[in-house]
Amino acid sequence: MRTPIRHRGVAIALLATLSLAACGGGGGAPSDTAAPSASTGPALDDTIATGLDAPWSIAFADGAPLVSERDRGRVVEIVDGKPREVGRIDGVAARGEGGLLGIAVRDGDLFAYLTTATDNRIVRMPLQGAAGARTLGPARTILTGLPAASIHNGGRIAFGPDGMLYATVGDAGRPDDAQDPRALGGKILRMTPDGARPADNPFPDSLVYSLGHRNAQGLAWGPDGALYASEFGQNTWDELNLIRPGANYGWPEVEGIGRREGFVDPLQQWSTSSASPSGIAVVGADLLVANLRGERLRTVPLAATATATEQYHASLGRLRDVVRAPDGSAWILTNNTDGRGDPRPGDDRIVRMRGR
């Protein structure tokens, strides 16, 4: 959700001047840091699934896909191209942008980030049975008390190459929390699979891994272990960030590239009208970025992270997630049935990119 930002006049002037300078000066509005190509690229190979209801995240269990459905609070598996219910998670309170959000799988358990009537939290549940006939065992809560609202819930969870669980937590409409190291809102968190603080976290006695985030919704690691995150800005710039432990990414003091001491600038910024970057994935030598409002997929070469190309502009509608499938291909999850899109026959769906 985009709401009026409390910018300071000097910061706005500085950002505008720097952005125009990056574009060669002259009149007109600041442009994105990466000039987009035409909407071409790999063709869609085939449709993996149809009939999904406000889907949010894809995870794989023994090579088989699982999908979270935000508003129904349920997890489904894909069987013969259709969703089959694995289970519904108790306590999900779907309101606005909240509900059942990110999911991840590790050691036979399903981890889920969900909104309740009072907070956001992370739970883990045993995955029972074989693919095509799975069920969920009893949920065990590993983290509670994350700020929740109808907007800015964050919600992406993923296991890093270090075996730790990472989670993006939005500012829940309280921007100042993002700069408060004691608050969990506006952060990326890092924890053990049981929700405990790893001994090597950057802040003592804290799950906080990085701060100064508004509403990060994508996490992915490069082959070298580098962590990338996508983030919704407010009314000006959305971001792609390289995440370093203990670093501050500026919100609400800075949106986009600010070149201000003490804050880390994004690798790229995009106008909010062309982006709303959600799920991201590293596939081969590229970082893929799914965009909601922008209704396109961006491809960012890991060897040149200040550049990007675009595919599928408006051909699939809103894109919520992109993942690397076990066979190495890239799967795209649409998000047209969440009340903000224009559903097409068969939506929502998962499609596979040819050549990925």
Side-chain angles (χ1 to χ4, degrees):
M1 179 177 178
R2 314 290 183 187
T3 51
I5 181 172
R6 300 174 298 158
H7 273 309
R8 287 126 309 266
V10 173
I12 293 175
L14 178 61
L15 178 58
T17 300
L18 292 169
S19 298
L20 285 169
C23 299
S31 66
D32 298 353
T33 53
S37 73
S39 295
T40 58
L44 295 173
D45 188 20
D46 55 2
T47 298
I48 301 296
T50 59
L52 295 163
D53 185 4
W56 211 92
S57 179
I58 304 175
F60 294 91
D62 298 326
L66 302 171
V67 181
S68 61
E69 291 186 331
R70 186 191 71 186
D71 296 344
R72 290 188 180 186
R74 71 173 189 165
V75 176
V76 301
E77 59 181 343
I78 305 305
V79 180
D80 297 328
K82 298 292 183 183
R84 172 196 169 271
E85 184 172 309
V86 174
R88 294 179 184 253
I89 300 179
D90 292 339
V92 172
R95 49 192 173 107
E97 298 171 3
L100 177 57
L101 304 178
I103 57 175
V105 174
R106 188 171 182 86
D107 297 332
D109 282 355
L110 178 74
F111 294 73
Y113 186 114
L114 60 111
T115 310
T116 74
T118 58
D119 66 357
N120 279 304
R121 60 184 57 187
I122 300 174
V123 301
R124 63 183 294 180
M125 300 149 285
L127 275 170
Q128 302 172 152
R134 295 193 189 277
T135 59
L136 291 178
R140 177 163 64 89
T141 301
I142 66 169
L143 182 63
T144 62
L146 303 177
S150 61
I151 57 172
H152 309 176
N153 290 287
R156 191 69 59 187
I157 58 175
F159 280 94
D162 56 3
M164 297 295 110
L165 179 64
Y166 292 72
T168 68
V169 184
D171 69 11
R174 300 195 294 269
D176 290 343
D177 282 0
Q179 288 297 318
D180 183 352
R182 300 164 299 178
L184 296 182
K187 308 295 192 300
I188 294 176
L189 307 182
R190 177 177 181 258
M191 67 199 79
T192 71
D194 291 320
R197 181 187 70 86
D200 58 347
N201 266 14
F203 300 103
D205 302 318
S206 176
L207 297 179
V208 173
Y209 191 70
S210 61
L211 66 158
H213 300 287
R214 181 177 180 268
N215 192 20
Q217 286 199 0
L219 292 171
W221 286 263
D224 60 353
L227 172 58
Y228 301 91
S230 60
E231 182 167 340
F232 290 177
Q234 185 147 268
N235 294 322
T236 310
W237 298 118
D238 292 330
E239 301 176 359
L240 174 65
N241 286 298
L242 174 63
I243 304 300
R244 299 184 176 94
N248 189 328
Y249 291 83
W251 177 254
E253 301 301 318
V254 177
E255 180 183 0
I257 296 172
R259 295 184 174 92
R260 286 182 53 181
E261 185 176 356
F263 301 133
V264 178
D265 281 340
L267 297 172
Q268 288 195 45
Q269 62 183 19
W270 303 292
S271 63
T272 57
S273 62
S274 67
S276 294
S278 189
I280 63 177
V282 171
V283 181
D286 297 321
L287 178 71
L288 307 181
V289 184
N291 292 274
L292 291 161
R293 185 179 177 189
E295 297 190 355
R296 68 197 73 184
L297 185 82
R298 281 191 170 89
T299 299
V300 177
L302 292 176
T305 53
T307 68
T309 57
E310 298 177 358
Q311 297 85 37
Y312 315 129
H313 185 197
S315 63
L316 293 171
R318 291 160 53 83
L319 307 183
R320 172 63 73 179
D321 201 9
V322 58
V323 296
R324 181 187 182 278
D327 65 0
S329 64
W331 290 13
I332 302 169
L333 179 66
T334 71
N335 193 198
N336 297 314
T337 58
D338 69 347
R340 294 184 177 182
D342 183 14
R344 303 137 194 249
D347 277 347
D348 270 309
R349 64 186 67 229
I350 301 171
V351 293
R352 181 183 2 229
M353 291 176 66
R354 181 178 303 143
R356 288 279 182 186

